[in-house]
C-alpha cells in the first residue's frame, strides 16, 4: 500500500521514486479545448517497488510504461493497471514485477487533458481581436499544485527536475515556454502544425513550468552588453494579444533595469538567456513568476502613458519587480515545502520594494508607502485570532492555497524589513548573497536563511527571529514617560483587545528604535526582550520646540505602540511642528485607530488626533488618514443620518482644502506623489459631498462622455465616475419598468469599451456600485455575473463597490446575492480560491454579532467550506470585532461629532 502522508500529515507522494528529468510533448487543440500529451520522466528508483505514484488531476491517462535504463536488457514493462485517487489527486501505475532499488528508469505516460476555463492548469483564455473577432489562447497557471492538471508529475516543490518541452501547434500561432526555442520544424504528420522545441530548463519545481500558445505579438529589449553583474545579455520581451504590445513599453523598461539590479545586489546573474513576460486576458491572480516566462493579468503589466493612471504605473512597476525578484527567491532557491512559502513571497515583496525604492523610482518613497500598505495589511490580519504564523503547517492543496495571504506576503516582508533595519541593509544583503550562493538550484528552509545572515552579521539571528516566524501575532507596546525615563510593556495585540493569559505567552524581541525631538537615539542598545522594561531618553535638542519622543523610528518594526495620554498629546504637537518623519506619521495614524477599534483606547481620541494633521501635505499620510476614516464610516454606516453627515463633513474638512488648492489641472513637471495627492483629495472631498467639487465633476463628466477627453485627466477619471454616480439623481421607474441612470449607463459604456486601457476600464467597473438606487444595485450584481460583460476574474470590482454602498442598501444586497448564488460562485471559483474567499469576505463590512451568528454562520452551516475556512473564520471575527467597537464607542463618537464637526 502506498504511503501518501508523512508524519506531519502532509499529502505527499511516496518517497520510492524521484524524478530527475521530464521530456514533455503536448499538442493543444484550441477548438476542442483538449490537449494530447506524452511525458517521459527519467527517475531514480529509491526503494524497490511495483507501483509508481504520480500526481494527476483531470487528466485521462491512456497508457503507461516503465523502462529500466543503464542495465543490459533495458526491459520495458507496461502498466498492468492504473488507479486514481481523486481526493489526493494521484494516479498509481501498477506493474507486474518489482522495480529494483537504486535503478534508473524512464517512465512514459500518454494522456489527454482539458483546456478548462477556470484559470487553473493548462487553461484557455478568450479575448476579442482588434477587428472584434473572438479568439482563444491557452496558457498555464500551475501554482501551487496544478502542474498535475498539465502532466502526470511529482508535483511537490522539493522534487525538482529539468524539463525538455516540445509543443505541436498550428503554424500561424506562437508557442512559448520557460526557455528559448531551439528548433521549429514542420510536424511530421499534422500538415497544419509545426513542432517547437525549447532548450532544457535548469532544475526547477513543477509549479514553475510555463506554456503559452496563441496569436501573440511582442516588443523586446536587451540588458546592457557591458553590465558587470550580468555578463550574458538577456533578451526581454513583452507578449500580448494583437494590438496591445505598445502598452508594454513601461514594463519592458522596468524589467531590463530590475534584472540588472538584482543580478548585482544578489551577486548572482540571472541565469536564463531570455525573460518573457506575457499579458493574459483571463488570470486569477496578479501575476505568476514562472522561470523565464512570467504571466500577468493585463492590468498588472500594460500601461498607456497617455491614458493610464499614476497608480497603474506604480502597480505595474511593483508587480514586475516582485515577479522578477522571484527569479532568485522561489525559482533559483525554492522553499522545501509550502509551510515556508514566506521565503518566496515575503522576500519577493521586500526586495521588490527595495528595487523600486533604491533603483527605479526613489522619488516614490516606496518604503514609506510600504508602511501604509503592506505593513498595514499584515498588522490588520495578524491581529486576529484566526491568523496564522508565517511558518504554518499545511497539508493539502486547499490549505496551501489559503496561505497566499497578507501573512506570507506582507508580514513576511515586514519582518524581513525589520531584520534588515536592525542588521543594516548592507549586512543583510551580504547574508542574502551567502544564502543564494549556498542554496541555488536547491531547496531551502528558514533555518538556512538564519544561518547565512548569522554568518554575515556575527549575530545569532535565529535566536531573536524564530519567534517572529513561528508564532502567531505581534505585541502592542505600552509606553509612558516620567521625566527622562520611559517604561514599556509588551502584550499580544488582538483586534478584540481581550487576549487571555494563554494567548499572551510569547515574549517578543522588539527593537524600540526611539527618537527624541526628531533625532534618533542609540537605538541598537534599546531592545525590549522581556515583558516590561525601562530605558532612559537623552535630553531634547535645545532648538526643538516640543519635548516629545516616539518609538519605532521609520516604522521599521512589527508592533503597535500605545502612548500615555500626555505623551500622545506631545506627539500630536510634534506633528503640527513638522518634527515627525513621514513614515512615523503614517504609523501613528495606523496605531491610534487600530487601538481604538480594538478597545485599548477611544475612537474619540483617534478622531481628535486628526486635528494635528490639518496641514498635512504628504500623499502617503493623507492616504492613511483616508483609509482609517473609511474604516470608521464603514462601521458607523447605518447610524442615524446626522452621524453620517458629520463624518462626511469631517472628511471634507481634511481633504477639501487640498483639493481646492491643487485644482483639476496637472501642471508639467508635477511630481508623482503630488499627482496622487490631487487624485486622493478630489476623490475624498468629492465623495464626501463638497458642492463645488461635485459640480465640477458633473460638468467635466458631461463633456468627457461627449468626446472631450481633455475634460478629465486620466488620473482623476475613476474618482469622477464615483463622485458623479454618488451624487446624481436616478430617474424613477416608469410604469412596469425600472429606474434609470444616464450616468450609470455612460460609465458602463466606458467599462465595455475594449479599446480603453484596462486600468481605466477597471476604474469604471469599480465605480458602478456608487449609484444611489437599490434596484439598480441589484441589477449591477446580475450584470457582474454575465460573462459576456464581466470576466469572472473581475467580478469582485462591482461586488465590492456595491457592498460598500451601505446606505443605499448595497451591503445587504451584496450579501443576499452571495447567499443566493453561492453554488454558482463556488462552481466558478473553486479552482481560484482567492476569488472565492473574496465572496465570503463580502459579509465582513457588517457590524452586528447577531448577524455573524444567524446570517453568516447559519448560512455556511452544513456547507463544504474547507477551501475557504480561513476566510470564513476571519470574516466572522471581523464582524464581531466591529460590532463590539460600535457598541462601545457609539455614544462618545456621536457626542464628539456633534460638538466638534460642523456640517
Amino acid at each position: 500500500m502506498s504511503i501518501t502522508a508523512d508524519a506531519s500529515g502532509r499529502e505527499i507522494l511516496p518517497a520510492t521514486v524521484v524524478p530527475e528529468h521530464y521530456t514533455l510533448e503536448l499538442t493543444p487543440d484550441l477548438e476542442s479545448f483538449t490537449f494530447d500529451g506524452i511525458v517521459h520522466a527519467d527517475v531514480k528508483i529509491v526503494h524497490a517497488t511495483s507501483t509508481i505514484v504520480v500526481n494527476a488531476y483531470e487528466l485521462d491517462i491512456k497508457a503507461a510504461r516503465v523502462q529500466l535504463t543503464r542495465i543490459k536488457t533495458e526491459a520495458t514493462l507496461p502498466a498492468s493497471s492504473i488507479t486514481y485517487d481523486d481526493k489526493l489527486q494521484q494516479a498509481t501505475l501498477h506493474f507486474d514485477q518489482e522495480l529494483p532499488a537504486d535503478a534508473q528508469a524512464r517512465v512514459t505516460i500518454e494522456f489527454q487533458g482539458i483546456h478548462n476555463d477556470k484559470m487553473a492548469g493548462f487553461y484557455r483564455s478568450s479575448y476579442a481581436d482588434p477587428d472584434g473577432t473572438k479568439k482563444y489562447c491557452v496558457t498555464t497557471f500551475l501554482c501551487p499544485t496544478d502542474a498535475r492538471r498539465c502532466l502526470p508529475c511529482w508535483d511537490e516543490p522539493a522534487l525538482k527536475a529539468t524539463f525538455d518541452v516540445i509543443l505541436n501547434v498550428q503554424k500561424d500561432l506562437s508557442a512559448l515556454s520557460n526557455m528559448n526555442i531551439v528548433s521549429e520544424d514542420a510536424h511530421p504528420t499534422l500538415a497544419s502544425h509545426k513542432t517547437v522545441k525549447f532548450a532544457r530548463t535548469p532544475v526547477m519545481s513543477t509549479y514553475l513550468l510555463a506554456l503559452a500558445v496563441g496569436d501573440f505579438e511582442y516588443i523586446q529589449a536587451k540588458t546592457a552588453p557591458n553590465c558587470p553583474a550580468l555578463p550574458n545579455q538577456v533578451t526581454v520581451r513583452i507578449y500580448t494579444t494583437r494590438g496591445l504590445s505598445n502598452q508594454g513599453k513601461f514594463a519592458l523598461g522596468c524589467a531590463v533595469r530590475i534584472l540588472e539590479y538584482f543580478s548585482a545586489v544578489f551577486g548572482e546573474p540571472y541565469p536564463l538567456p531570455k525573460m518573457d513576460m506575457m499579458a493574459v486576458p483571463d488570470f486569477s491572480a496578479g501575476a505568476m513568476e514562472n522561470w523565464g516566462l512570467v504571466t500577468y493579468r493585463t492590468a498588472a503589466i500594460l500601461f498607456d502613458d497617455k491614458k493610464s493612471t499614476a497608480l497603474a504605473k506604480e502597480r505595474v512597476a511593483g508587480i514586475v519587480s516582485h515577479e522578477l525578484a522571484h527569479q532568485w527567491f522561489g525559482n533559483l532557491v525554492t522553499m522545501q515545502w509550502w509551510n515556508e512559502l514566506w521565503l518566496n513571497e515575503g522576500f519577493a515583496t521586500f526586495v521588490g520594494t527595495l528595487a523600486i525604492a533604491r533603483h527605479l523610482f526613489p522619488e516614490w518613497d516606496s518604503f514609506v508607502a510600504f508602511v501604509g500598505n503592506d505593513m498595514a495589511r499584515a498588522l490588520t490580519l495578524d491581529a486576529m485570532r484566526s491568523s496564522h504564523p508565517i511558518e504554518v503547517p499545511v497539508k493539502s492543496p486547499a490549505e496551501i492555497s489559503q496561505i497566499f495571504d497578507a501573512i506570507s506576503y506582507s508580514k513576511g516582508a515586514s519582518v524581513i524589513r525589520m531584520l534588515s533595519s536592525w542588521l543594516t541593509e548592507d549586512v543583510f544583503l551580504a547574508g542574502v548573497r551567502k544564502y543564494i550562493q549556498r542554496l541555488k538550484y536547491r531547496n531551502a528552509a528558514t533555518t538556512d536563511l538564519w544561518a547565512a545572515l548569522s554568518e554575515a552579521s556575527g549575530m545569532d539571528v535565529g535566536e531573536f527571529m524564530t519567534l517572529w516566524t513561528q508564532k502567531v501575532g505581534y505585541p502592542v507596546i505600552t509606553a509612558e514617560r516620567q521625566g527622562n525615563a520611559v517604561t514599556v510593556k509588551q502584550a499580544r495585540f488582538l483586534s478584540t483587545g481581550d487576549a487571555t493569559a494563554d494567548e499572551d505567552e510569547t515574549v517578543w524581541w522588539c527593537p524600540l528604535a526611539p527618537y527624541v525631538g526628531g533625532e534618533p537615539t542609540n537605538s541598537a542598545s534599546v531592545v525590549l526582550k522581556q515583558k516590561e522594561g525601562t530605558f532612559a531618553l537623552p535630553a531634547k535638542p535645545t532648538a526643538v520646540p516640543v519635548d516629545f519622543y516616539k518609538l519605532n523610528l521609520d516604522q521599521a518594526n512589527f508592533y503597535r505602540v500605545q502612548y500615555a495620554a500626555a505623551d500622545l498629546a506631545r506627539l500630536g504637537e510634534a506633528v503640527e511642528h513638522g518634527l515627525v518623519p513621514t513614515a512615523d506619521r503614517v504609523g501613528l495614524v495606523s496605531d491610534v485607530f487600530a487601538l481604538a477599534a480594538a478597545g485599548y483606547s477611544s475612537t474619540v481620541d483617534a478622531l481628535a488626533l486628526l486635528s494635528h494633521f490639518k496641514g498635512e501635505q504628504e500623499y502617503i499620510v493623507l492616504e492613511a488618514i483616508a483609509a482609517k476614516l473609511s474604516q470608521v464610516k464603514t462601521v458607523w454606516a447605518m447610524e442615524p443620518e446626522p452621524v453620517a453627515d458629520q463624518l462626511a463633513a469631517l472628511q471634507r474638512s481634511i481633504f477639501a482644502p487640498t483639493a481646492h488648492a491643487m485644482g483639476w489641472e496637472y501642471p508639467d513637471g508635477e511630481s508623482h506623489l503630488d499627482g496622487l495627492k490631487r487624485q486622493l483629495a478630489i476623490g475624498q472631498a468629492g465623495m464626501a459631498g463638497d458642492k463645488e467639487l461635485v459640480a465640477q465633476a458633473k460638468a467635466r463628466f458631461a463633456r468627457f462622455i461627449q468626446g472631450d477627453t481633455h475634460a478629465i485627466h486620466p488620473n482623476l477619471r475613476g474618482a469622477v465616475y464615483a463622485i458623479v454616480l454618488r451624487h446624481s439623481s436616478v430617474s424613477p421607474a416608469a410604469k412596469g419598468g425600472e429606474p434609470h441612470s444616464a450616468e450609470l449607463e455612460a460609465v458602463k459604456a466606458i467599462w465595455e469599451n475594449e479599446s480603453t486601457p484596462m486600468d481605466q476600464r477597471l476604474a469604471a467597473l469599480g465605480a458602478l456600485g456608487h449609484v444611489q438606487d437599490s434596484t439598480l444595485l441589484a441589477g449591477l450584481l446580475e450584470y457582474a455575473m454575465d460573462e459576456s460583460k464581466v470576466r469572472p476574474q473581475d467580478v469582485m470590482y462591482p461586488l465590492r463597490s456595491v457592498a460598500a454602498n451601505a446606505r443605499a442598501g448595497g451591503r445587504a444586497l451584496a450579501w443576499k446575492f452571495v447567499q443566493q448564488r453561492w453554488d454558482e460562485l463556488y462552481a466558478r471559483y473553486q479552482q481560484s480560491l482567492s476569488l472565492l474567499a473574496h465572496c465570503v469576505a463580502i459579509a465582513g463590512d457588517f457590524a452586528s454579532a447577531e448577524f455573524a451568528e444567524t446570517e453568516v454562520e447559519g448560512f455556511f452551516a452544513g456547507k463544504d467550506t474547507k477551501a475557504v475556512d480561513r476566510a470564513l473564520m476571519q470574516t466572522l471575527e471581523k464582524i464581531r470585532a466591529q460590532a463590539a467597537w460600535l457598541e462601545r464607542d457609539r455614544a462618545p463618537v456621536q457626542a464628539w461629532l456633534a460638538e466638534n464637526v460642523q456640517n
Side-chain angles (χ1 to χ4, degrees), residues 311-595:
L311 280 175
K313 190 174 190 178
E314 269 195 15
R315 175 175 165 82
V316 169
I319 293 177
V320 169
S321 190
H322 179 101
E323 301 309 319
L324 296 189
H326 273 307
Q327 307 305 300
W328 286 263
F329 297 99
N331 301 6
L332 188 64
V333 181
T334 311
M335 77 258 143
Q336 187 74 21
W337 178 249
W338 297 104
N339 63 302
E340 292 179 297
L341 174 65
W342 85 284
L343 289 174
N344 285 18
E345 299 300 350
F347 251 103
T349 301
F350 174 74
V351 299
T353 305
L354 184 76
I356 303 294
R358 302 288 185 262
H359 186 58
L360 264 69
F361 303 105
E363 68 276 14
W364 288 3
D365 285 349
S366 295
F367 273 122
V368 178
F370 179 95
V371 172
N373 296 319
D374 277 286
M375 191 172 178
R377 282 192 294 272
L379 288 166
T380 298
L381 178 52
D382 209 30
M384 292 185 171
R385 285 188 169 90
S386 50
S387 182
H388 62 84
I390 289 175
E391 295 180 75
V392 56
V394 284
K395 302 171 183 177
S396 66
E399 290 182 2
I400 293 165
S401 294
Q402 292 186 72
I403 64 167
F404 283 77
D405 62 6
I407 300 301
S408 297
Y409 285 71
S410 300
K411 184 180 180 183
S414 295
V415 300
I416 290 169
R417 178 171 172 261
M418 176 170 67
L419 180 56
S420 175
S421 175
W422 175 256
L423 298 178
T424 74
E425 195 171 289
D426 288 343
V427 171
F428 174 79
L429 289 174
V432 167
R433 287 189 284 272
K434 285 180 179 289
Y435 171 76
I436 290 174
Q437 288 303 316
R438 187 171 295 162
L439 291 150
K440 61 185 178 182
Y441 303 110
R442 295 168 57 197
N443 293 84
T446 300
T447 50
D448 295 313
L449 175 63
W450 298 157
L453 291 168
S454 295
E455 289 179 30
S457 65
M459 303 180 190
D460 186 350
V461 170
E463 180 184 15
F464 53 83
M465 288 304 296
T466 297
L467 282 174
W468 284 104
T469 61
Q470 293 187 357
K471 297 291 185 180
V472 66
Y474 61 90
V476 54
I477 294 176
T478 57
E480 183 171 10
R481 178 178 181 177
Q482 292 183 334
N484 282 333
V486 178
T487 300
V488 289
K489 300 177 182 179
Q490 62 163 292
R492 184 176 173 189
F493 179 84
L494 282 176
S495 61
T496 46
D498 57 353
T500 65
D502 288 343
E503 292 171 321
D504 189 26
E505 292 180 342
T506 303
V507 180
W508 307 93
W509 173 83
C510 298
L512 295 178
Y515 65 98
V516 176
E519 293 188 5
T521 63
N522 182 14
S523 60
S525 64
V526 188
V527 179
L528 182 62
K529 301 176 184 178
Q530 297 84 31
K531 276 292 186 180
E532 60 181 276
T534 301
F535 68 93
L537 290 174
K540 174 184 74 69
T542 55
V544 175
V546 183
D547 188 8
F548 78 100
Y549 75 98
K550 184 185 177 297
L551 302 184
N552 202 5
L553 176 63
D554 294 330
Q555 296 300 115
N557 304 296
F558 196 76
Y559 51 75
R560 296 197 184 279
V561 180
Q562 181 177 20
Y563 297 94
D567 297 345
L568 182 62
R570 282 192 287 269
L571 252 178
E573 290 180 50
V575 168
E576 288 193 62
H577 282 84
L579 299 173
V580 181
T582 307
D584 294 273
R585 300 201 302 280
V586 173
L588 181 61
V589 170
S590 176
D591 284 357
V592 168
F593 275 88
L595 290 162

Side-chain angles (χ1 to χ4, degrees), residues 728-741:
S728 291
S729 58
V730 174
S731 301
K735 187 175 182 180
E738 292 188 351
H740 177 77
S741 167

Side-chain angles (χ1 to χ4, degrees), residues 764-802:
L765 183 64
L768 295 175
H770 292 290
V771 70
Q772 296 297 294
D773 182 89
S774 60
T775 301
L776 293 178
L777 290 172
L780 274 177
L781 294 171
E782 296 301 322
Y783 173 86
M785 290 295 287
D786 181 349
E787 290 190 30
S788 70
K789 301 293 186 183
V790 180
R791 291 182 186 273
Q793 69 189 31
D794 296 325
V795 166
M796 300 310 143
Y797 290 89
L799 184 56
R800 283 196 297 255
S801 70
V802 169

Side-chain angles (χ1 to χ4, degrees), residues 478-760:
T478 57
E480 183 171 10
R481 178 178 181 177
Q482 292 183 334
N484 282 333
V486 178
T487 300
V488 289
K489 300 177 182 179
Q490 62 163 292
R492 184 176 173 189
F493 179 84
L494 282 176
S495 61
T496 46
D498 57 353
T500 65
D502 288 343
E503 292 171 321
D504 189 26
E505 292 180 342
T506 303
V507 180
W508 307 93
W509 173 83
C510 298
L512 295 178
Y515 65 98
V516 176
E519 293 188 5
T521 63
N522 182 14
S523 60
S525 64
V526 188
V527 179
L528 182 62
K529 301 176 184 178
Q530 297 84 31
K531 276 292 186 180
E532 60 181 276
T534 301
F535 68 93
L537 290 174
K540 174 184 74 69
T542 55
V544 175
V546 183
D547 188 8
F548 78 100
Y549 75 98
K550 184 185 177 297
L551 302 184
N552 202 5
L553 176 63
D554 294 330
Q555 296 300 115
N557 304 296
F558 196 76
Y559 51 75
R560 296 197 184 279
V561 180
Q562 181 177 20
Y563 297 94
D567 297 345
L568 182 62
R570 282 192 287 269
L571 252 178
E573 290 180 50
V575 168
E576 288 193 62
H577 282 84
L579 299 173
V580 181
T582 307
D584 294 273
R585 300 201 302 280
V586 173
L588 181 61
V589 170
S590 176
D591 284 357
V592 168
F593 275 88
L595 290 162
Y600 293 85
S601 60
S602 168
T603 307
V604 165
D605 295 336
L607 293 171
L609 180 71
L610 294 183
S611 65
H612 297 292
F613 288 82
K614 287 290 178 69
E616 182 60 58
Q617 292 301 310
E618 291 293 336
Y619 161 71
I620 299 172
V621 182
L622 289 169
E623 183 186 35
I625 292 171
K628 291 305 177 182
L629 278 179
S630 175
Q631 184 184 8
V632 173
K633 290 176 69 178
T634 296
V635 174
W636 265 258
M638 303 311 293
E639 292 302 289
E641 200 157 282
V643 173
D645 291 344
Q646 287 158 349
L647 284 171
L650 177 62
Q651 185 172 327
R652 289 196 302 273
S653 73
I654 294 170
F655 293 100
T658 300
H660 291 301
M662 296 190 79
W664 291 78
E665 305 303 328
Y666 280 69
D668 291 341
E670 182 171 69
S671 74
H672 176 78
L673 292 178
D674 277 350
L676 291 177
K677 182 170 66 172
R678 182 192 309 274
Q679 174 201 351
L680 176 72
I682 288 175
Q684 289 289 311
M687 288 298 288
D690 182 276
K691 292 180 180 179
E692 182 181 334
L693 292 173
V694 170
Q696 271 272 24
K698 289 181 177 181
R700 288 172 179 270
F701 180 76
R703 287 160 46 202
F704 181 76
I705 62 174
Q706 292 299 317
D708 180 2
T709 58
H710 298 292
I712 311 171
H713 190 278
N715 282 349
L716 297 174
R717 288 173 189 170
V720 167
Y721 304 153
I723 292 167
V724 168
L725 290 173
R726 171 67 181 83
H727 295 288
S728 291
S729 58
V730 174
S731 301
K735 187 175 182 180
E738 292 188 351
H740 177 77
S741 167
E743 294 82 2
L744 180 69
E745 295 306 313
V747 178
K748 266 189 193 177
I750 295 167
W751 156 248
E752 293 173 4
N753 183 355
E754 296 200 7
S755 67
T756 300
M758 182 54 74
D759 67 291
Q760 291 288 4

